[in-house]
Amino acid sequence: MQQDITIKITDRNGVKHEVQAPTDMNMNIMELIRAYELAEEGTIGVCGGMAMCASCQCYVLNDVISLERNPDEEAMLWEAYHVKENSRLGCQIPITPEIDGLEIEIAPEQ
Ligand code: FES
């Protein structure tokens, strides 16, 4: 059985949370934020994780993951608001043991 990993998430009110995430449930960061109710219902995960809404945009605050975006993610962020160099779509970041210690901030509502 996989160990849980720790992810640090700053919510849209600037409050920092440290949460445990399971690596064996095929979850992504958007689903994790929803599971812990760290963003208001209906303001995150609007497209269900298809890289088609940018409601799950996050800023990556440390170098645990690469800032490289996949093509769908890049295309979506091109059209989104509040995009920074370290923006990623939470639904495109799978929860795996490699991302233990990741720190992110949820971007403002789209
Ligand atoms: S949930 Fe829509 S882009 Fe991630």
Side-chain angles (χ1 to χ4, degrees):
M1 212 183 79
Q2 287 284 4
Q3 287 284 322
D4 284 1
I5 59 169
T6 303
I7 308 286
K8 293 181 184 163
I9 301 171
T10 303
D11 68 22
R12 288 176 178 146
N13 299 316
V15 181
K16 292 180 199 292
H17 306 264
E18 197 171 299
V19 303
Q20 300 298 306
T23 54
D24 56 356
M25 285 181 65
N26 259 326
M27 283 178 88
N28 60 52
I29 291 291
M30 175 275 282
E31 291 166 331
L32 184 72
I33 293 167
R34 288 181 62 142
Y36 281 96
E37 299 180 347
L38 299 181
E40 210 174 310
E41 182 69 32
T43 67
I44 185 161
V46 175
C47 74
M50 308 284 288
M52 289 175 70
C53 71
S55 66
C56 65
Q57 183 188 173
C58 298
Y59 306 125
V60 175
L61 303 182
N62 62 7
D63 59 4
V64 169
I65 59 167
S66 137
L67 293 177
E68 209 172 302
R69 302 164 184 160
N70 67 46
D72 291 345
E73 189 179 9
E74 180 68 42
M76 186 62 242
L77 284 170
W78 182 253
E79 297 173 19
Y81 300 105
H82 314 295
V83 176
K84 299 184 191 174
E85 221 167 80
N86 59 343
S87 290
R88 293 280 321 260
L89 293 178
C91 67
Q92 303 300 304
I93 306 173
I95 296 177
T96 61
E98 289 74 38
I99 72 164
D100 190 19
L102 175 66
E103 288 188 44
I104 57 160
E105 178 181 350
I106 307 172
E109 223 179 295
Q110 288 294 306

